[in-house]
Amino acid sequence: MTALFLAGAVIVAIWVRYAGGPELLGAMRRLGPAHGVALLAITASCVFLRFLRWQYLLRRLGIRVPTRPSLSIYLASLAGIATPAYVGETLRCALLRRQYGVPIRLTLPVWLVERVMDFVAIGLLGAAALTGSWVVVATLGVLALVAAVLIRGTPVEKLPKVGPLNRLRESRVVLPVLALSILAWLPAAFVVWVAALGLDVPLDAVAGARVFAASTLGGGLSLMPAGMAATGSLAIVQLEGLGVAVTTAVAVVSVFRLFTAGITLAIGGIFLVFESRRLSARPDEPVHFNAIADEYLDQFSPHIWELLLKRKTALLQSALGPASGAGIGLDLGCGLGLQASALREKGYRVIGLDPAYGLVREAGAGGLSSVTGSALDLPFADGSIDFIYTVGVLHHLGGHAEQRAACREVARVLRPGGVFVIHETNPRNPLFRLYMSYLFPILRSIDEGIEHWIDPAHWESVEGLRVERVEFFTFLPDFLPRAFLSAAVGIERWLERSSARIYSVHYMAVVRRSSSSERLSGSEMAAAESGAL
């Protein structure tokens, strides 16, 4: 690798010398601030969208890693572009194994798929720029790729099966990954054009895209670290062929490479230091909700908390009936006790339970009788609770098996005929699911990106509990400014009454404990264990 770096450095030095050092620096200084910001934004969007692709591919293999740490690991691995053929990026595979025990045999195929998709996406964009027919080339490329992936009976099919690769070559995975790859590299295709504009160099946008695609692919095939010398040399030669003077061409390419490879390497270096320090320190990480107990209320703006609290309290009241006849209830996953306190003000008798002692402490300080405990082992006698509700809790459990176990515990402690009210995130809307699974965990600490969403229909199959009704509510995003709240609430109410209500952000399922027996029988337990939830 040292030899490759030296060779690349020599070639770069030759270009700088050929272009004239002082003249080159003078040309680069002409870059306007607006164009510099645009180049930074292009690089940042490309890196972020490729991270989303990485996280999506991990989830397709059933690998659930908290989004923020996964992003940090991904950014640290970008330092690996300074290795031949970018193989150093596999550092992310090693870090995931070290920190989360994810086998490299699962993550390495993901990295390979990423590299293939990068070449396909850049190649399609370059071909589109070459022919001038973006739609035709992209369509043909997609069809060719899908055909190559789905064809059966080829010699490839006769090779020993590689589980992860087989799962990643399904059409339902390939198409979104290809779309993400093209989306990530599309702005980058214009980075040469933007660099030229910033240096007052007349260059056609499509010609710039051709230069970018050809030089980037050539640099990748050269196996040089970060495409060093190869990418730049190819770009300079192409720009000269378009009539750009050599000094100006080297300046444009220097800016282009500085804001792509340079910035990417800088980001990778910073996060690599961070990850190295975190590995060497190896602190005992607290339970997630204990860690964020002090900042829990900062997750949403006050007007969003107020809106959600009022709405969810009203829905709970409609499900529980009058407080006078409701009996004693349990807030399962009470958090800070906001919901329980609101119901107590309405006359309901509620106790709280949460696994995070930090949140239980805060809830107790607010006057709520609460206890630290797990939904998987409720510290209550059989049939001792009249009603139970849980607000945005079950999707935090470690998979559907734990969710089934929690439902069995709820059925055990509920009195026969007792009501169980579930407020959960609705996974049916693909936009909300994308936001909640990939973006929300980065913007907010309350979710980690490893949640297991529960479809409303699943409550029909829970043994020992029967569904009374499911209501869909809320469409407003959590980042909605207060100034737009009043008008947006009216639109939201209209949507909740329309046929589009099944695509809401949240839903409420009202289920009852079967009154036919005091507790689940052994056969019911077994059935629940193998149920669809």
Side-chain angles (χ1 to χ4, degrees):
M1 190 173 79
T2 303
L4 290 175
F5 263 120
L6 289 175
V10 169
I11 295 173
V12 171
I14 291 172
W15 275 118
V16 172
R17 172 66 177 165
Y18 183 56
E23 292 85 352
L24 175 61
L25 290 176
M28 291 179 65
R29 288 195 191 101
R30 295 201 305 270
L31 183 71
H35 294 92
V37 171
L39 290 168
L40 283 173
I42 288 173
T43 299
S45 66
C46 183
V47 169
F48 183 69
L49 288 170
R50 286 160 59 204
F51 162 71
L52 291 184
R53 180 185 63 184
W54 165 259
Q55 196 75 348
Y56 174 81
L57 286 167
L58 291 181
R59 290 175 74 94
R60 299 290 69 76
L61 291 180
I63 301 170
R64 291 178 181 263
V65 181
T67 303
R68 287 190 179 186
S70 182
L71 176 59
S72 179
I73 288 172
Y74 184 88
L75 293 177
S77 73
L78 293 179
I81 70 172
T83 59
Y86 296 179
V87 294
E89 284 190 331
T90 56
L91 171 66
R92 70 187 68 151
C93 305
L95 289 174
L96 284 178
R97 183 182 66 176
R98 178 75 177 272
Q99 296 185 32
Y100 296 99
V102 181
I104 289 180
R105 64 179 176 81
L106 294 179
T107 53
L108 189 58
V110 175
W111 178 79
L112 290 172
V113 169
E114 282 192 303
R115 297 289 69 75
V116 171
M117 283 297 183
D118 284 339
F119 270 88
V120 171
I122 296 172
L124 287 175
L125 292 172
L130 182 64
T131 64
S133 180
W134 294 77
V135 175
V136 173
V137 171
T139 302
L140 290 175
V142 169
L143 292 176
L145 184 64
V146 172
V149 169
L150 297 181
I151 286 177
R152 295 294 184 261
T154 62
V156 174
E157 289 297 316
K158 298 176 182 178
L159 294 176
K161 294 291 184 180
V162 182
L165 282 175
N166 279 331
R167 276 178 278 173
L168 296 180
R169 58 198 289 267
E170 296 175 357
S171 59
R172 61 179 180 175
V173 175
V174 169
L175 294 179
V177 170
L178 178 61
L180 263 176
S181 301
I182 293 175
L183 191 62
W185 288 107
L186 180 58
F190 297 101
V191 71
V192 175
W193 174 61
V194 174
L197 284 180
L199 298 179
D200 297 322
V201 177
L203 182 68
D204 180 74
V206 175
R210 288 199 299 270
V211 171
F212 169 82
S215 61
T216 302
L217 289 175
L221 292 172
S222 73
L223 306 185
M224 292 288 286
M228 189 175 182
T231 300
S233 296
L234 289 169
I236 293 169
V237 170
Q238 290 179 88
L239 287 174
E240 283 191 286
L242 294 171
V244 180
V246 63
T247 300
T248 305
V250 174
V252 170
V253 171
S254 298
V255 170
F256 146 49
R257 294 292 286 161
L258 175 65
F259 280 91
T260 52
I263 294 298
T264 301
L265 276 171
I267 293 172
I270 292 170
F271 278 87
L272 183 58
V273 171
F274 172 78
E275 286 297 321
S276 299
R277 290 179 176 176
R278 190 165 71 153
L279 281 176
S280 60
R282 276 196 244 180
D284 293 328
E285 294 189 5
V287 176
H288 175 64
F289 282 98
N290 279 327
I292 68 168
D294 294 337
E295 57 182 283
Y296 194 91
L297 278 178
D298 299 329
Q299 299 302 305
F300 303 111
S301 300
H303 66 280
I304 297 295
W305 275 119
E306 182 182 0
L307 177 67
L308 289 174
L309 184 60
K310 286 183 177 179
R311 191 71 200 284
K312 292 182 178 182
T313 300
L315 286 167
L316 285 172
Q317 284 185 273
S318 71
L320 299 175
S324 57
I328 298 176
L330 171 66
D331 185 333
L332 181 58
C334 62
L336 295 177
L338 302 178
Q339 203 72 65
S341 297
L343 285 175
R344 288 170 65 203
E345 291 177 1
K346 305 291 184 180
Y348 293 90
R349 292 182 292 168
V350 182
I351 57 177
L353 179 141
D354 200 284
Y357 59 81
L359 294 178
V360 169
R361 182 182 63 245
E362 296 293 329
L368 175 66
S369 298
S370 53
V371 62
T372 302
S374 170
L376 305 178
D377 187 17
L378 296 176
F380 304 104
D382 296 3
S384 60
I385 305 294
D386 295 296
F387 68 88
I388 299 176
Y389 66 86
T390 180
V391 179
V393 171
L394 296 181
H395 63 256
H396 291 293
L397 296 179
H400 296 315
E402 287 194 5
Q403 291 166 351
R404 291 194 296 270
C407 288
R408 291 199 302 274
E409 275 293 278
V410 165
R412 179 183 66 79
V413 303
L414 267 180
R415 66 168 174 79
V419 66
F420 180 32
V421 185
I422 306 103
H423 284 199
E424 269 296 331
T425 300
N426 183 12
R428 291 183 176 178
N429 188 317
L431 291 178
F432 288 140
R433 185 162 186 161
L434 171 66
Y435 174 69
M436 294 302 297
S437 296
Y438 298 97
L439 301 179
F440 184 78
I442 296 175
L443 301 173
R444 315 285 187 191
S445 300
I446 199 167
D447 279 359
E448 297 182 88
I450 57 175
E451 290 69 32
H452 296 265
W453 310 116
I454 308 173
D455 190 272
H458 286 167
W459 295 103
E460 298 286 350
S461 60
V462 182
E463 293 291 338
L465 299 170
R466 56 182 175 82
V467 178
E468 287 193 344
R469 72 178 190 271
V470 175
E471 292 188 28
F472 297 91
F473 65 99
T474 67
F475 281 84
L476 302 183
D478 59 88
F479 49 81
L480 184 74
R482 181 185 290 274
F484 300 106
L485 190 61
S486 297
V489 166
I491 298 173
E492 179 178 74
R493 295 295 181 270
W494 175 77
L495 287 170
E496 291 172 350
R497 294 190 299 268
S498 73
S499 59
R501 62 183 177 276
I502 62 172
Y503 299 111
S504 63
V505 180
H506 302 105
Y507 71 87
M508 177 180 75
V510 182
V511 303
R512 283 195 182 274
R513 161 76 192 275
S514 173
S515 59
S516 59
S517 61
E518 283 294 318
R519 59 186 299 168
L520 290 176
S521 66
S523 61
E524 286 179 320
M525 290 280 192
E529 182 64 34
S530 61
L533 179 62

